[in-house]
Amino acid sequence: MDQRGFSRWLKAVIVGVGICGGIIYFYVIPTWGKDLVSMYPEFGNRYFPWLVILWITGIPCYAVLVLGWRIARQIGLDNSFSEINARDLKYVAWMAILDATFFFAANVVMLLMNMSHPAVMIGSLLVIFAGIAVAVVAATGSHLIQKAAKLKEENDLTI
């Protein structure tokens, strides 16, 4: 597969993930929350705070999709190993750290306000771990792409 074909596949995956994320954030989560509240009315005061927290966690996810689109565009231009891609991957790492940190802090605050359960906090550690794993992979990729870009630049200057 050539660079343009690979870029098109990446963009298609990014669009698919964006659509699936929209369905999850704006249909599945609110529907599950309403069902939970209808089954357990005592949780009614927790619905909107948790919904807002979950929607806020979606913002960095969509920012990462925008950065992924930019990276896919650079790949399509046959500029895979560039400072631009290294910088964008570093931003992806920071977004993942920001999202994981916010989600952890929000869980702690909700637990302290007695609007959560310790089991929810323990379960959310898996999501936080996944965010940290994405950050580590993105930071490593950024470092490697930056090194490859420097090597490419040195080789372009060699006669």
Side-chain angles (χ1 to χ4, degrees):
M1 183 181 308
D2 65 335
Q3 295 288 328
R4 286 188 178 172
F6 184 59
S7 174
R8 277 190 231 116
W9 273 106
L10 283 174
K11 288 177 181 179
V13 167
I14 290 168
V15 168
V17 168
I19 291 169
C20 290
I23 291 169
I24 289 171
Y25 275 110
F26 295 108
Y27 179 72
V28 173
I29 291 173
T31 303
W32 281 354
K34 287 178 184 175
D35 289 345
L36 185 66
V37 169
S38 69
M39 289 188 311
Y40 305 101
E42 64 270 16
F43 294 151
N45 66 334
R46 295 171 174 97
Y47 174 72
F48 282 110
W50 272 108
L51 188 62
V52 169
I53 287 170
L54 292 174
W55 281 346
I56 290 172
T57 63
I59 294 169
C61 296
Y62 279 94
V64 165
L65 291 178
V66 170
L67 292 171
W69 189 272
R70 287 175 32 177
I71 291 170
R73 187 171 46 90
Q74 288 296 319
I75 290 171
L77 297 172
D78 201 22
N79 196 18
S80 301
F81 300 109
S82 65
E83 291 290 330
I84 295 168
N85 284 351
R87 183 195 66 218
D88 285 348
L89 273 175
K90 188 179 287 187
Y91 290 154
V92 168
W94 280 108
M95 290 288 178
I97 290 286
L98 172 76
D99 203 21
T101 303
F102 171 76
F103 192 61
F104 178 75
N107 270 294
V108 169
V109 168
M110 294 298 274
L111 187 64
L112 292 175
M113 291 174 55
N114 200 24
M115 296 182 83
S116 187
H117 190 273
V120 173
M121 181 68 183
I122 292 170
S124 69
L125 291 177
L126 182 64
V127 175
I128 295 165
F129 176 75
I132 293 170
V134 167
V136 168
V137 168
T140 303
S142 172
H143 178 74
L144 293 174
I145 288 175
Q146 190 171 23
K147 284 192 170 285
K150 286 180 184 176
L151 283 173
K152 179 182 168 192
E153 184 179 320
E154 288 174 7
N155 286 340
D156 289 344
L157 295 175
T158 304
I159 299 176

